[in-house]
């Protein structure tokens, strides 16, 4: 078995994530952790030929050791695991640097557009987007991420067009070292950066292992990573393992106390035992009214 899964959602955070679709965690990173990631971001961007409107580095976890460590970063991985359990997969990692006067984008949601994730899974998001914010967003107009709270629960929001302000929108205001958790079905956009400083952040997106990833990873490179990072990348040779991971990859983590591990007898194969996710347990508590 792997290590105990790091901290994840509190009941209050579950409520906010399911109702609003967005949770901010100021102070999730120490000053040193933030500085190390910021230095790594600048090293990576300096070594690449990029335009001056927006720097976007795809497959960021392969670009610098500091980013590779984030695959199973203890500051956030427990939240993704609470949703997807032992079939957790990193499907995309990106580094963004938005300079003053650079590019901004229009309202959109992540994932497929022709038939969105939300159609198939209206309650559980099929992708969670984790943001690492490395520079200060002290006011609107700094390249801020803007979202429409609760828009993941209303298919009617598919009509949102353009990049203008919308009633009820929220602009992310936060200090460096903040982590955000966003349901990929939430409508969001990026404001222009009218400040004097670059806006620098990372996004790591997770889904169930059977969802097609944006990024591909060299199996040989992945094989040299620590166990949990290797599993979360899912650089499998056999496609069936995305649906049914091999026995040695289960369980990914051990449950947090006091949640017990499932019981099984010798006639059962451990990797075929259904281990409930924390999301399932939360829904059961919510249905029964057993929430503090």
């Amino acid at each position: 078995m792997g290590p105990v899964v790091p901290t994840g959602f509190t009941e209050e955070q579950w409520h906010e994530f399911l109702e609003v679709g967005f949770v901010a965690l100021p102070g999730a990173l120490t000053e040193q952790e933030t500085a190390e990631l910021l230095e790594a971001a600048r090293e990576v961007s300096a070594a690449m030929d990029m335009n001056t409107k927006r720097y976007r580095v795809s497959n960021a976890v392969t670009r610098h050791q500091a980013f590779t460590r984030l695959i199973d970063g203890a500051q956030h991985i427990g939240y993704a695991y609470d949703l997807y359990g032992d079939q957790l997969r990193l499907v995309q990692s990106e580094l963004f640097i938005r300079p003053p006067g650079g590019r901004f984008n229009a309202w959109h949601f992540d994932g497929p557009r022709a038939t969105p994730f939300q159609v198939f899974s209206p309650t559980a998001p099929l992708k969670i987007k984790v943001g690492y914010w490395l520079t200060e967003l002290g006011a609107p107009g700094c390249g801020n991420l803007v979202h429409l709270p609760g828009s993941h629960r209303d298919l009617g929001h598919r009509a949102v067009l353009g990049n203008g302000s919308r009633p009820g929108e929220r602009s992310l205001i936060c200090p460096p070292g903040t982590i955000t958790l966003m349901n990929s079905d939430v409508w969001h956009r990026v404001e222009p950066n009218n400040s004097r400083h670059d806006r620098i952040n990372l996004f790591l997106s997770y889904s169930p292992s059977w969802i097609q990833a944006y990024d591909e990873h060299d199996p040989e490179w992945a094989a040299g990573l620590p166990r949990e990072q290797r599993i979360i990348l899912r650089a499998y040779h056999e496609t069936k393992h995305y649906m049914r991971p091999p026995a040695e990859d289960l369980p990914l983590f051990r449950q947090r106390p006091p949640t017990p591990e499932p019981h099984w007898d010798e006639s059962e194969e451990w990797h075929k035992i259904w281990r409930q996710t924390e999301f399932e347990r939360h829904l059961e508590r919510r249905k029964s009214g057993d929430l503090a």
Side-chain angles (χ1 to χ4, degrees):
M1 287 190 181
V4 173
V5 63
T7 299
F9 287 96
T10 64
E11 295 295 356
E12 182 179 357
Q13 289 168 341
W14 271 126
H15 178 79
E16 187 174 4
F17 185 74
L18 294 176
E19 296 299 317
V20 177
F22 194 93
V23 176
L25 306 171
L29 302 176
T30 65
E31 289 187 10
Q32 181 177 345
E33 289 168 337
T34 304
E36 289 174 355
L37 289 171
L38 189 58
E39 181 180 0
R42 288 175 171 146
E43 287 178 10
V44 170
S45 63
M48 304 189 73
D49 181 19
M50 299 182 178
N51 64 56
T52 59
K53 300 295 184 183
R54 180 197 66 168
Y55 300 170
R56 176 182 177 273
V57 180
S58 60
N59 211 351
V61 297
T62 66
R63 309 288 186 175
H64 197 286
Q65 274 194 332
F67 299 159
T68 304
R69 290 193 291 269
L70 296 182
I71 295 170
D72 63 340
Q75 299 90 339
H76 74 271
I77 199 63
Y79 297 94
Y81 183 83
D82 281 354
L83 284 167
Y84 309 125
D86 288 326
Q87 296 206 211
L88 170 67
R89 181 185 189 185
L90 179 68
V91 294
Q92 188 176 25
S93 60
E94 304 165 284
L95 166 66
F96 278 100
I97 301 179
R98 295 185 181 273
R103 179 181 171 186
F104 54 96
N105 61 17
W107 288 106
H108 65 285
F109 57 86
D110 293 341
R113 308 294 168 83
T115 309
F117 284 146
Q118 185 184 17
V119 172
F120 302 102
S121 184
T123 302
L126 292 183
K127 180 182 175 185
I128 182 174
K129 190 169 192 171
V130 178
Y132 272 61
W133 301 91
L134 307 180
T135 52
E136 184 174 8
L137 295 174
C142 298
N144 309 59
L145 179 68
V146 182
H147 71 279
L148 279 176
S151 54
H152 62 299
R153 297 185 288 111
D154 182 2
L155 284 173
H157 275 102
R158 277 196 256 176
V160 176
L161 298 173
N163 55 24
S165 296
R166 305 285 296 190
E169 70 178 24
R170 293 183 187 174
S171 180
L172 177 64
I173 307 295
C174 67
T178 296
I179 288 178
T180 56
L181 313 168
M182 186 173 73
N183 182 322
S184 68
D185 295 323
V186 167
W187 281 86
H188 57 282
R189 66 181 176 92
V190 174
E191 290 185 312
N193 184 359
N194 298 321
S195 73
R196 298 181 179 180
H197 308 285
D198 292 343
R199 190 213 81 180
I200 304 177
N201 79 289
L202 290 151
F203 285 125
L204 299 105
S205 296
Y206 297 86
S207 292
S209 62
W210 36 266
I211 293 289
Q212 177 62 47
Y214 290 77
D215 300 334
E216 295 184 357
H217 301 102
D218 178 5
E220 293 187 7
W221 176 76
L225 296 174
R227 176 184 181 270
E228 287 70 40
Q229 293 179 6
R230 172 186 61 77
I231 294 173
I232 291 170
L233 285 186
R234 309 286 175 182
Y236 293 133
H237 291 286
E238 296 188 54
T239 56
K240 68 179 181 180
H241 288 155
Y242 295 105
M243 187 71 68
R244 294 183 176 181
E248 60 268 23
D249 286 359
L250 295 167
L252 173 57
F253 291 107
R254 286 182 288 125
Q255 303 283 8
R256 302 182 196 99
T259 303
E261 294 290 348
H263 295 287
W264 78 100
D265 59 42
E266 294 181 358
S267 65
E268 296 175 301
E269 297 178 85
W270 167 255
H271 65 288
K272 295 181 180 180
I273 299 297
W274 180 6
R275 300 172 81 231
Q276 273 193 317
T277 64
E278 189 56 39
F279 176 71
E280 292 173 89
R281 285 189 283 269
H282 173 79
L283 291 185
E284 289 180 355
R285 293 192 296 272
R286 192 174 179 178
K287 185 177 180 179
S288 67
D290 187 22
L291 291 176

